[in-house]
Amino acid sequence: MPRRLDNWINGAASAPSTAAYTTGLNPTNGSPTVDIGVSGAADVDHAVACARRSADAWRHFPSAERGRILAAIARSIRDNADRLADREIEDTGKPRATALGEVENSAAYFEFYAGLVNLPVGELLDVEPNQHIFTKREPYGVIGVITPWNLPLNQAARAVAPALVTGNTVVLKPAETSGQTTIALARIATEAGLPDGVFNVVLGAGSTVGSAIVAHPDVRKVAFTGSVRTGRAIGKVAADRVIPLTLELGGKSANIVFEDAELDLAAKEAVRAFASNAGQVCSAGTRLLVQRSVHDEFVAEVVRIAAALREGEDLGPMITRAQFEQVQEYFEVAAKEGARPALGGSVTRRPELAGGFYVQPTIYAGVSNDMRIAREEIFGPVLVTMPFDDEREAVSIANDSDFGLVAGVFTSDIGRALRVSDAIEAGQVFVNSWSTGAVQTPFGGHKNSGYGREKGIEAMYHYTHLKSVVVVY
Ligand code: ADP
């Protein structure tokens, strides 16, 4: 009998009230994995009720104790790194080194926020005699977290750690297909001493479980990571309910390489930027803008490096069948737009991978920024390149996008690096490396890439609201 994956509610496994399950698929070969619970609104009601019941006690826990529990969760994630990586690989097919890196990063979130348990602090305002005015930051209560399938454990840790450390309780829904490590995290948290009901996970569809979380009157803030389309739908409900929302949506991020850059390094980074996690990250650098004087030679080097990436070893599969189909549709869009691949442009040609959702690393060179393949997020290992003549034009092409998540600038001129960083409409800019930064670095978008910030101390402000207390004596 296949293994069953049940909800985690009030510190224990909890079968979905619907008694319904769906079978997960291993994206490397299409074989069945676990039977995943398909919950209904009743399970959300149950989870939110437990989260609400535990909120008052958790909020008033001695802060040092809260920090100690988060630190214990971090330790346990590390102790279970291999097992967590196994489960993540089963759900997503990603290379082992990538999965282990994400597990370590997830531990780092809990460790980082454990140490910040007494932040953010309030202020004391000196206004008039016989007055004592102070501000304090308070938790919202129950936070709804909705995560996608590309980095399941990592995305869960990124939201749950700052939400918990600031005294909130959480109801989280992972993506339909990839809940194993999120459930494992909830179990680890309970075993590490987190009180029952403080962190609950409900498995199921976005249209039922996800929307029930967003609409629930006791959910006081939502943190969402996923597509623009779903982000908009959630935004409308949040607007009606007048609750705050953090939206971490898509990207079509520009990576700008000037002729004076250290080109060997820039070429390696350009490949990492678009091919990490087989391009299934919102912060992928998928538009490579290269100064015209070096464009052709530079792109040839990028093609050479990317051609060495082997599907099934360096490049994981598309994580869902729908995503596999979407990337293939974009190969057709590219052909219709007259873009010819300098590399790849099809599903894998390796016969031993034929049952999996693998595509080739793909590069379309010298495209125009108004093509769909240059404007829309493909979410696969697909790069487009464009030449530019000068700094002004580079910034203009980079900003001519509906998105504004991240950007890269490669140059040996520090003044130019700072000017371009300043002019780019994006939540983060990487200079001479493509690194989304450690857990300490705030992360979020401009334009359709969303609003609010995850990570860093900044996230703690997003999981708390401010109260001013005015005492007159
Ligand atoms: P993708 O298209 O990449 O699957 P989605 O934005 O649809 O991205 O999914 C991200 C997360 O949002 C998943 O957990 C999904 O189940 C959830 N989701 C989808 N639709 C809704 C909705 N209407 N309300 C709340 N959550 C949703």
Side-chain angles (χ1 to χ4, degrees), residues 52-406:
R52 181 156 189 224
R53 227 178 11 249
S54 59
D56 206 42
W58 179 242
R59 171 186 172 176
H60 293 110
F61 240 61
S63 57
E65 189 56 27
R66 262 203 326 261
R68 267 197 291 274
I69 291 171
L70 264 80
I73 296 173
R75 267 196 307 280
S76 182
I77 292 172
R78 288 206 175 97
D79 290 346
N80 286 285
D82 277 316
R83 286 197 315 183
L84 287 164
D86 289 344
R87 297 278 80 83
E88 202 74 309
I89 291 166
E90 196 175 31
D91 278 350
T92 65
K94 59 182 74 195
R96 187 158 197 88
T98 309
L100 281 170
E102 289 170 19
V103 171
E104 168 51 31
N105 204 241
S106 305
Y109 279 116
F110 282 92
E111 190 171 60
F112 172 65
Y113 288 109
L116 297 178
V117 65
N118 290 114
L119 284 179
V121 291
E123 293 175 321
L124 186 60
L125 306 176
D126 189 5
V127 181
E128 284 182 29
N130 305 324
Q131 281 193 358
H132 183 82
I133 303 179
F134 62 96
T135 63
K136 62 198 287 259
R137 300 213 67 101
E138 296 184 338
Y140 282 104
V142 182
I143 307 273
V145 177
I146 297 173
T147 55
W149 40 255
N150 59 342
L151 300 91
L153 179 66
N154 206 262
Q155 305 268 12
R158 189 180 76 179
V160 170
L164 295 186
V165 81
T166 44
N168 299 282
T169 59
V170 170
V171 175
L172 188 158
K173 190 199 89 63
E176 292 74 344
T177 47
S178 52
Q180 292 195 69
T181 51
T182 309
I183 293 292
L185 175 65
R187 179 186 288 273
I188 280 173
T190 299
E191 288 169 2
L194 191 71
D196 295 347
V198 171
F199 173 28
N200 309 278
V201 182
V202 184
L203 304 164
S207 54
T208 47
V209 173
S211 52
I213 290 174
V214 179
H216 199 294
D218 288 332
V219 169
R220 297 294 171 81
K221 184 219 149 104
V222 169
F224 171 76
T225 306
S227 63
V228 178
R229 183 179 43 82
T230 304
R232 280 208 179 94
I234 289 177
K236 286 180 184 140
V237 180
D240 267 352
R241 294 198 48 226
V242 198
I243 58 166
L245 181 62
T246 300
L247 291 179
E248 209 262 85
L249 310 177
K252 191 76 184 180
S253 296
N255 188 9
I256 307 172
V257 179
F258 288 93
E259 62 189 5
D260 64 359
E262 198 183 314
L263 293 175
D264 288 344
L265 167 79
K268 288 193 195 100
E269 292 292 276
V271 172
R272 227 163 50 78
F274 88 93
S276 289
N277 211 37
Q280 298 165 108
V281 279
C282 42
S283 55
T286 48
R287 286 189 301 148
L288 180 61
L289 316 188
V290 188
Q291 199 151 20
R292 195 177 302 277
S293 53
V294 295
H295 175 273
D296 292 357
E297 174 198 343
F298 184 79
V299 170
E301 178 63 4
V302 171
V303 167
R304 195 188 64 73
I305 299 169
L309 294 175
R310 286 171 66 80
E311 305 100 90
E313 290 158 35
D314 313 298
L315 272 193
M318 299 299 91
I319 294 171
T320 67
R321 187 187 294 283
Q323 188 54 37
F324 185 45
E325 285 162 6
Q326 174 167 313
V327 175
Q328 291 174 70
E329 275 171 38
Y330 275 106
F331 291 149
E332 284 169 27
V333 169
K336 285 206 189 89
E337 291 184 311
R340 289 172 52 83
L343 178 71
S346 88
V347 300
T348 185
R349 296 243 155 80
R350 300 182 67 184
E352 70 277 20
L353 300 178
F357 305 152
Y358 290 94
V359 300
Q360 298 175 326
T362 297
I363 299 177
Y364 296 101
V367 311
S368 130
N369 198 43
D370 56 11
M371 290 180 179
R372 282 183 62 197
I373 54 169
R375 303 202 73 80
E376 298 174 16
E377 185 177 46
I378 298 174
F379 225 60
V382 182
L383 178 69
V384 298
T385 83
M386 282 166 259
F388 66 85
D389 286 313
D390 55 20
E391 195 177 308
R392 190 197 48 77
E393 192 189 9
V395 169
S396 151
I397 299 173
N399 285 344
D400 179 10
S401 170
D402 293 336
F403 296 104
L405 194 53
V406 307

Side-chain angles (χ1 to χ4, degrees), residues 1-6 16 19-27 29-39 90-91 175-180 203-205 319-321 357:
M1 192 160 128
R3 282 172 292 138
R4 278 193 163 172
L5 193 66
D6 284 320
Y21 291 83
T22 182
T23 303
L25 280 191
N26 181 330
N29 56 20
S31 65
T33 54
V34 286
D35 284 347
I36 309 165
V38 183
S39 311
E90 196 175 31
D91 278 350
E176 292 74 344
T177 47
S178 52
Q180 292 195 69
L203 304 164
I319 294 171
T320 67
R321 187 187 294 283
F357 305 152

